Amino acid sequence: MKKIAFKTLGCRLNQYETDALASRFHTGSYQIVDFNDEADIYIVNTCTVTNQSDQKSRQTISQARKKKEDALVVVTGCMANNYKESLLESKAIDFVVDNERKASIYGIVEKHFRGEVADPEGFDKDVFNYEAAYKTFHTRSMIKIQDGCDNFCTFCIIPKVRGRATSRPAEEIYANIREVIQYGFKEIVLTGVNIGRYEDGDTDFEKLVENILEIPGDFRLRISSIEPDGFTHRFFELFAHPKLTPHLHLCLQSGAESVLLKMRRMYTAKQFRQMAEKLRSMYPDFNLTTDIIVGFPAESEAEFEQSVTMAKELSFSHIHTFKYSVRSGTRAERMSEQIGEKVKNQRSEVIRKLSEENKRNYYKSMVGKKQRMLVERIGGDGVARGYGENYIPIRLKAAGLVKNQFIDVEITGLHEAKELEVTAKVI
Amino acid sequence: MQNDNIHEIISIRHLTDSTYIIQMSRRGLKFRAGQHILLGKAGSIHNREYSVYSGEKDSYFEVLIKEVDDGMVSKQLKKLKAGDKVQIEGPLGFFTIEPELIEKEKFLFVATGTGIAPFHSFSRSYPEIDFLLLHGVRNANESYEKNHYPKERHILCTSGDKKGDFHGRVTEYIMKNRVSPDTHCYLCGNFNMIHEVFDLLEQQGVPPEQVHAEVYF
Ligand SMILES: Cc1cc2nc3c(=O)[nH]c(=O)nc-3n(C[C@H](O)[C@H](O)[C@H](O)COP(=O)(O)OP(=O)(O)OC[C@H]3O[C@@H](n4cnc5c(N)ncnc54)[C@H](O)[C@@H]3O)c2cc1C
Ligand code: SF4
């Protein structure tokens, strides 16, 4: 039996696609091993969203090659689209497979081992041709509903590497979800590049979510990461449904109107604030997390301070900070006044600290409150770990706990570890 | 290279020394007024965004381009001639008007320079639309086909000479002529103008969801 190892860099969508591939290889009688172990095939699903992701992707590729001289190294993901020519020249890589053909990797590998010429370009493009991953590395099941983006924010390379926005047919999504519920998954996470722009005939994003919530079964639905544009009141009302988790990763990027305009984002800081306040007024414990870019070209100290103020006032419980990095072919590449690394580091540190502080405050505010924990794993010490509906990491010590089970708990306090967690008791 | 996004130039109209209109074959490509395309010379890896200038029902595509002093693509495209080929990606973008609003609502269009392009497309695509267009330029010779708009709907704001309809910037015009809060406002062109007009409109009570912006640079 051939051994195969996977490494994913970057976003949830990449993670979903790796999981689906791994599942396909598993049913096809391959043995999945850890990326640090020796394998016959290494699949590296790359990311190119920042300079750092490029570097990490390159390191991972050479790591794979070093592990085993004669292993088959397959590189896919956004870097494969963005730097296809240079990757094709690399001796460390056997196949470069673009995002549009990622789902064909199983076919490519099979063909290769049958001794046939396996040219990735000869496989059809299909960004949704992934089977439901029942054997994933997680207990949550991600469901891909959309790919690509037409927003062309001036800093972002994604529209170039993921292509134009396209939506998966709604019926396929419902079928996929029914299937993973049957497999026993208890949490469904919608994923895509810009899922708010979902559109399949008359089914827009809100309608899609409404219909998913009507699917019978003991599961909950998480929207996760979404761009804050074009929400109607209906969107906010959706969260009244007990199956929809009160958590959104709503990408702010900057708190300064001027910077948002230069980024060509689709909302103003004021509109963002109104959305956040509306969510909190309707659902007081609502958990908001976000992305902030620091050091966008010409970002002044005053503009950066506006991001800080907004992050404080809207109390995001987690802020993913990106130091702006030039991506070739984007409009921001041609903007004057690029900001130096030192300033970017300082600004990033300010936001990182604030994020820690906000997280602590949010978790504290949840002490004494109820959560429905989904047990994801149980350690050797008998401590179960999982997330509540508000996406708070919970540790729970109790008898008779089973993995992949919902359990009603009350949050009792904070637990200091590498990552801050909360403790809880069964109610 | 794919051939299905290659379009042929029908003609180039030079409006000033630096500003020109490229008319090219449409090849059935659909778009909504206000959208833009990515345009470059055929075979070149460089392209830029340009708002579609022509109307939804025209048999051709047009874009209105100003040659930028240190620019790359705006210079390359200016050198092309009828019969040359260009490459188009798109149409793209969300700077469009919801169809149900077109006949019901009133609109304010505010442009600087070639930012007038999507408004030309709006007025050509929706002849019944109730709009007022403020076009900010330095000198009146940059009025770019003013005769294509109903006279009473087009206000040329010139900050350099006094040959326009209003002497001063578009922001000054708005300060002197309040915008009623039920207006749907579309702003297009340079960043500074858009940033200032956003603030002015807010002060004048226009709800933010009625303000749409397309920042060129
Ligand atoms: C959605 C969208 C639609 C656009 N539509 C149009 C359009 O209809 N007509 C049009 O002429 N342009 C339009 N632009 C601007 C256009 O895409 C290019 O930026 C412009 O033509 C310059 O490209 P370039 O390659 O010549 O210059 P570059 O080599 O890209 O830029 C050189 C420098 O000039 C600056 N610059 C860019 N544009 C201008 C400008 N107009 N005036 C002064 N400085 C500038 C840049 O910031 C840069 O520093 C649009 C931009 C966007 C984002
Ligand atoms: S919305 Fe903007 S940041 Fe998000 S993927 Fe699209 S272009 Fe990139």
Side-chain angles (χ1 to χ4, degrees):
Chain A
M1 191 186 267
K2 291 219 157 27
K3 290 181 181 170
I4 185 164
F6 295 86
K7 184 80 178 184
T8 313
L9 295 112
C11 64
R12 278 172 196 268
L13 185 55
N14 255 6
Q15 189 61 62
Y16 159 84
E17 288 165 350
T18 305
D19 288 354
L21 278 176
S23 184
R24 180 74 195 89
F25 276 96
H26 181 82
T27 35
S29 321
Y30 286 75
Q31 186 191 348
I32 297 171
V33 296
D34 192 275
F35 197 79
N36 292 318
D37 294 343
E38 197 168 279
D40 302 298
I41 309 142
Y42 290 94
I43 311 276
V44 186
N45 196 357
T46 59
C47 171
T48 189
V49 80
T50 61
N51 280 333
Q52 282 151 311
S53 13
D54 279 348
Q55 261 168 26
K56 267 195 209 153
S57 300
R58 288 211 165 85
Q59 280 162 6
T60 313
I61 295 166
S62 56
Q63 223 181 1
R65 174 53 73 219
K66 276 188 204 135
K67 283 260 166 303
K68 199 172 175 210
E69 262 307 286
D70 61 345
L72 187 75
V73 177
V74 182
V75 174
T76 185
C78 292
M79 200 181 167
N81 284 59
N82 207 22
Y83 299 103
K84 195 167 190 171
E85 275 74 30
S86 69
L87 292 178
L88 279 169
E89 282 168 16
S90 161
K91 290 201 172 56
I93 303 167
D94 296 294
F95 291 118
V96 179
V97 184
D98 52 35
N99 272 325
E100 296 81 352
R101 293 185 175 85
K102 199 185 277 180
S104 310
I105 288 180
Y106 179 76
I108 296 170
V109 170
E110 283 276 285
K111 216 171 166 188
H112 171 81
F113 284 113
R114 281 199 305 266
E116 297 169 32
V117 180
D119 175 13
E121 305 286 315
F123 286 76
D124 287 344
K125 292 183 174 183
D126 188 344
V127 293
F128 298 121
N129 191 17
Y130 295 95
E131 288 171 30
Y134 67 90
K135 265 275 174 215
T136 72
F137 309 124
H138 314 278
T139 55
R140 270 167 262 144
S141 178
M142 287 185 268
I143 299 289
K144 181 172 177 179
I145 63 166
Q146 186 274 347
D147 203 341
C149 183
D150 296 344
N151 280 22
F152 285 88
C153 299
T154 54
F155 55 84
C156 184
I157 193 72
I158 292 175
K160 194 172 149 197
V161 290
R162 284 269 175 189
R164 298 291 62 74
T166 119
S167 298
R168 186 178 191 181
E171 287 306 326
E172 253 183 51
I173 297 172
Y174 308 141
N176 201 177
I177 292 179
R178 281 191 207 100
E179 208 178 339
V180 296
I181 293 171
Q182 246 180 10
Y183 288 153
F185 283 99
K186 296 269 189 296
E187 187 166 311
I188 310 291
V189 185
L190 299 183
T191 176
V193 174
N194 188 353
I195 61 174
R197 293 267 175 204
Y198 181 87
E199 197 177 11
D200 176 35
D202 290 340
T203 311
D204 59 7
F205 182 70
E206 277 106 333
K207 186 80 203 137
L208 182 81
V209 172
E210 266 169 19
N211 290 346
I212 295 173
L213 291 170
E214 291 314 311
I215 295 177
D218 185 23
F219 71 96
R220 67 187 181 199
L221 179 69
R222 199 175 287 290
I223 291 179
S224 82
S225 186
I226 192 162
E227 293 291 333
D229 65 81
F231 296 154
T232 61
H233 185 64
R234 218 168 103 221
F235 176 79
F236 296 89
E237 285 176 329
L238 286 173
F239 289 91
H241 197 290
K243 278 185 176 168
L244 188 60
T245 58
H247 161 233
L248 275 184
H249 187 82
L250 205 54
C251 309
L252 171 64
Q253 310 303 11
S254 171
E257 301 288 11
S258 46
V259 177
L260 289 176
L261 268 181
K262 287 184 192 160
M263 289 177 166
R264 285 178 55 83
R265 300 285 290 168
M266 299 278 169
Y267 52 89
T268 64
K270 271 190 205 87
Q271 284 169 317
F272 189 103
R273 185 183 286 275
Q274 280 166 4
M275 288 178 227
E277 285 170 357
K278 186 165 176 170
L279 281 166
R280 291 263 169 70
S281 72
M282 291 170 80
Y283 315 100
D285 295 327
F286 201 94
N287 186 8
L288 272 178
T289 54
T290 199
D291 289 344
I292 289 183
I293 294 176
V294 296
F296 186 77
E299 183 192 52
S300 66
E301 201 52 43
E303 286 168 329
F304 169 66
E305 278 307 321
Q306 290 176 43
S307 293
V308 176
T309 307
M310 192 120 160
K312 266 189 199 151
E313 290 175 0
L314 299 183
S315 357
F316 300 109
S317 78
H318 175 74
I319 304 167
H320 198 131
T321 320
F322 288 92
K323 285 187 281 175
Y324 169 76
S325 90
V326 179
R327 300 284 76 195
S328 124
T330 60
R331 287 196 75 85
E333 180 197 10
R334 301 191 295 275
M335 290 181 180
S336 50
E337 293 184 63
Q338 300 283 338
I339 306 280
E341 267 321 289
K342 201 170 148 207
V343 174
K344 283 190 220 169
N345 286 337
Q346 282 163 352
R347 290 182 184 171
S348 150
E349 189 52 18
V350 172
I351 301 279
R352 193 191 60 75
K353 284 199 178 125
L354 180 59
S355 172
E356 292 291 312
E357 207 178 299
N358 281 356
K359 177 183 280 179
R360 186 169 294 275
N361 290 339
Y362 178 63
Y363 289 5
K364 266 191 203 155
S365 77
M366 295 299 287
V367 172
K369 296 190 174 156
K370 287 183 194 149
Q371 284 286 289
R372 194 154 194 243
M373 174 186 182
L374 176 59
V375 178
E376 292 190 10
R377 61 199 152 96
I378 301 168
D381 52 0
V383 176
R385 287 205 169 78
Y387 283 83
E389 63 269 36
N390 289 48
Y391 207 60
I392 304 175
I394 303 175
R395 27 186 307 135
L396 174 70
K397 188 145 190 172
L401 294 176
V402 185
K403 193 178 150 183
N404 202 29
Q405 166 198 41
F406 280 126
I407 182 146
D408 291 324
V409 298
E410 184 189 309
I411 296 179
T412 51
L414 303 192
H415 179 85
E416 309 287 341
K418 206 167 125 217
E419 293 287 334
L420 190 65
E421 294 170 312
V422 299
T423 50
K425 63 177 185 202
V426 178
I427 47 173
Chain B
M1 189 178 54
Q2 290 176 347
N3 277 327
D4 55 3
N5 56 358
I6 300 290
H7 295 241
E8 187 173 316
I9 296 186
I10 300 167
S11 66
I12 299 200
R13 302 202 287 286
H14 291 273
L15 305 184
T16 69
D17 284 348
S18 61
T19 308
Y20 55 100
I21 290 172
I22 302 182
Q23 188 177 91
M24 55 212 132
S25 58
R26 173 106 184 228
R27 301 193 57 204
L29 199 59
K30 286 202 171 70
F31 77 100
R32 285 179 66 193
Q35 286 194 298
H36 63 273
I37 52 174
L38 291 173
L39 180 70
K41 251 171 46 174
S44 165
I45 56 162
H46 299 287
N47 61 20
R48 297 286 185 264
E49 298 85 347
Y50 294 102
S51 303
V52 181
Y53 183 74
S54 46
E56 289 177 359
K57 293 188 194 76
D58 288 331
S59 58
Y60 48 81
F61 259 131
E62 281 182 343
V63 287
L64 168 72
I65 304 180
K66 184 180 173 79
E67 179 183 23
V68 171
D69 280 347
D70 302 319
M72 180 199 274
V73 176
S74 61
K75 271 194 167 37
Q76 285 175 351
L77 293 171
K78 193 169 177 231
K79 294 193 188 114
L80 298 180
K81 294 180 292 301
D84 287 344
K85 304 278 196 300
V86 287
Q87 216 162 284
I88 289 182
E89 202 189 315
L92 298 161
F94 308 95
F95 192 64
T96 52
I97 303 179
E98 288 307 316
E100 63 274 18
L101 301 182
I102 293 167
E103 281 182 44
K104 278 203 320 234
E105 303 290 329
K106 63 172 183 253
F107 294 85
L108 174 71
F109 301 149
V110 188
T112 51
T114 50
I116 197 170
F119 305 138
H120 184 267
S121 184
F122 284 153
S123 72
R124 207 168 159 83
S125 305
Y126 317 129
E128 66 287 11
I129 193 168
D130 177 9
F131 73 92
L132 180 69
L133 166 62
L134 308 180
H135 186 207
V137 290
R138 191 172 300 264
N139 299 312
N141 69 334
E142 294 164 287
S143 69
Y144 312 148
E145 306 195 312
K146 189 175 189 326
N147 58 331
H148 286 196
Y149 309 85
K151 206 173 174 333
E152 68 288 0
R153 295 194 181 279
H154 181 291
I155 296 174
L156 184 68
C157 304
T158 51
S159 55
D161 63 28
K162 290 192 175 170
K163 293 183 192 149
D165 305 308
F166 176 81
H167 178 55
R169 294 170 186 273
V170 288
T171 39
E172 289 164 271
Y173 183 91
I174 295 171
M175 278 187 258
K176 288 187 178 145
N177 299 272
R178 286 187 76 86
V179 178
S180 86
D182 56 350
T183 314
H184 292 254
C185 303
Y186 283 71
L187 324 175
C188 183
N190 88 45
F191 160 80
N192 288 328
M193 176 280 281
I194 292 175
H195 193 41
E196 284 171 42
V197 173
F198 247 110
D199 279 350
L200 283 173
L201 292 174
E202 191 194 0
Q203 286 161 23
Q204 298 187 1
V206 181
E209 57 276 12
Q210 278 168 224
V211 185
H212 310 267
E214 186 79 298
V215 177
Y216 278 5
F217 68 98

